[in-house]
Amino acid sequence: SFLIMPNEITFHAPGLRRFKTSEYVEQDAVRFASISVTGTECALACEHCKTHVLEGMTALPRFDGSLFDLCCELAERGARGVLISGGCDRHGRVPLLRHLPDLARVRRELDFTIRVHPGLPDEETVAGLAEVGIDGAMVDIIGDDATIHQVYHLDATAAEYEAVLERLERYGVPAVPHIILGLHFGQMRGERAALDMIIRHARKFLVLVILMPLTGTPMVGVTPPPVTEIADFFALARQALPNTPVMLGCARPLGKIKADIDRAAVDAGLNGIAYPAEGIVTYAQSLGLQPKFVDACCGVNW
């Protein structure tokens, strides 16, 4: 693990979407690609997503070839890293197992940085990810059973999310836990319990995101938590994990609230922000922070 640089802040812009502000203009959108191994198929169709998040990714099923072939083509266009994602089965797992031999080749032959969204991976999947030597397993950690049932439509418990953290730790797979603030229809509910679970296990860093009320989902009319509550949680996470990088990830509401959330992240001493709002780089500099820019997922260092 690397020591936290107190006077540095990293701004991330992965190629999930085109991103440009007056302060962040040099994004290379092809350098880090996102692939869904299921296309837009997902057995869960969660209340906050309804597969919309998968639509922005390159769909492997529509590509005429294997995952390795697709990565070779992306490499020719200038990619150096991938996020391997996809929809879940009804047990909350992204079907990664059959793609692991391809991922091992991607790592070995293309030397890609590899991040995965495994969902709730079983023992066999985690063992396979350890063999591939991935850069990070990005897992949403949910600390409230009602949220798991009502939002994710999953017959699982918070204990099963902790079991995933334990599994990743046991196999030495770098865990990149995410906590979605306000996931329970805009209310803060299981976030504190999720943070407690994360504290108990090895992690590469923590990513905090905020519920985004997306058009075309049942959550479209939901109000995210107030900025004061979000800021309090930022401070709590920072205090709880003084030696772990804590990042503000891609997902958060747009508009004026986004700039307020981003400012709160800088004030709380978070280490990085994905897709920073206009003015945030300057704001961080005004507090004496050195900005660094990376065209990839939170915490990727080329």
Side-chain angles (χ1 to χ4, degrees), residues 80-144:
R80 292 174 58 194
V82 278
L83 165 61
I84 307 296
S85 188
C88 291
D89 64 17
R90 51 192 189 77
H91 302 293
R93 296 177 302 222
V94 178
L96 295 175
L97 257 182
R98 62 195 177 90
H99 300 293
L100 291 177
D102 272 351
L103 278 184
R105 286 189 70 190
V106 169
R107 191 86 186 91
R108 203 170 53 239
E109 297 174 36
L110 304 176
D111 196 29
F112 267 21
T113 291
I114 300 174
R115 284 285 175 84
V116 301
H117 272 157
L120 286 171
D122 56 21
E123 193 87 11
E124 197 184 350
T125 304
V126 173
L129 290 172
E131 271 176 52
V132 171
I134 62 166
D135 179 65
M138 311 212 297
V139 284
D140 292 344
I141 299 299
I142 308 173
D144 181 78

Side-chain angles (χ1 to χ4, degrees), residues 145-166:
D145 291 356
T147 306
I148 296 166
H149 303 154
Q150 293 169 32
V151 179
Y152 275 45
H153 308 148
L154 250 186
D155 186 23
T157 62
E160 287 172 62
Y161 284 83
E162 180 150 19
V164 166
L165 289 171
E166 185 278 324

Side-chain angles (χ1 to χ4, degrees), residues 30-268:
V30 297
R31 189 176 301 180
F32 191 85
S34 301
I35 297 170
S36 168
V37 296
T38 65
T40 54
E41 294 296 304
C42 177
L44 299 181
C46 301
E47 294 294 296
H48 65 307
C49 170
K50 291 288 178 198
T51 76
H52 283 285
V53 176
L54 296 171
E55 285 165 16
M57 299 182 178
T58 302
L60 178 63
R62 289 214 302 270
F63 178 77
D64 187 26
S66 68
L67 181 56
F68 179 72
D69 297 333
L70 176 53
C71 288
C72 286
E73 193 168 298
L74 291 166
E76 277 166 31
R77 287 190 235 154
R80 292 174 58 194
V82 278
L83 165 61
I84 307 296
S85 188
C88 291
D89 64 17
R90 51 192 189 77
H91 302 293
R93 296 177 302 222
V94 178
L96 295 175
L97 257 182
R98 62 195 177 90
H99 300 293
L100 291 177
D102 272 351
L103 278 184
R105 286 189 70 190
V106 169
R107 191 86 186 91
R108 203 170 53 239
E109 297 174 36
L110 304 176
D111 196 29
F112 267 21
T113 291
I114 300 174
R115 284 285 175 84
V116 301
H117 272 157
L120 286 171
D122 56 21
E123 193 87 11
E124 197 184 350
T125 304
V126 173
L129 290 172
E131 271 176 52
V132 171
I134 62 166
D135 179 65
M138 311 212 297
V139 284
D140 292 344
I141 299 299
I142 308 173
D144 181 78
D145 291 356
T147 306
I148 296 166
H149 303 154
Q150 293 169 32
V151 179
Y152 275 45
H153 308 148
L154 250 186
D155 186 23
T157 62
E160 287 172 62
Y161 284 83
E162 180 150 19
V164 166
L165 289 171
E166 185 278 324
R167 222 167 275 152
L168 294 168
E169 179 171 37
R170 189 155 31 91
Y171 281 96
V173 176
V176 182
H178 287 48
I179 302 176
I180 306 166
L181 311 191
L183 179 61
H184 198 93
F185 304 95
Q187 297 167 27
M188 298 282 278
R189 240 178 108 141
E191 290 83 349
R192 184 71 193 258
L195 181 61
D196 290 339
M197 291 195 263
I198 290 161
I199 291 166
R200 291 195 282 268
H201 298 280
R203 71 253 141 208
K204 193 169 181 175
F205 43 85
L206 169 63
V207 179
L208 303 175
V209 294
I210 293 97
L211 178 78
M212 260 181 111
L214 292 175
T215 308
T217 73
M219 295 252 195
V220 66
V222 166
T223 307
V227 176
T228 50
E229 276 188 47
I230 291 169
D232 286 348
F233 196 85
F234 287 169
L236 181 71
R238 172 74 295 161
Q239 219 176 334
L241 296 169
N243 301 314
T244 298
V246 181
M247 316 284 196
L248 176 57
C250 294
R252 55 195 185 282
L254 302 171
K256 186 198 176 295
I257 187 174
K258 179 176 171 178
D260 294 341
I261 290 168
D262 290 11
R263 203 168 294 119
V266 175
D267 291 341

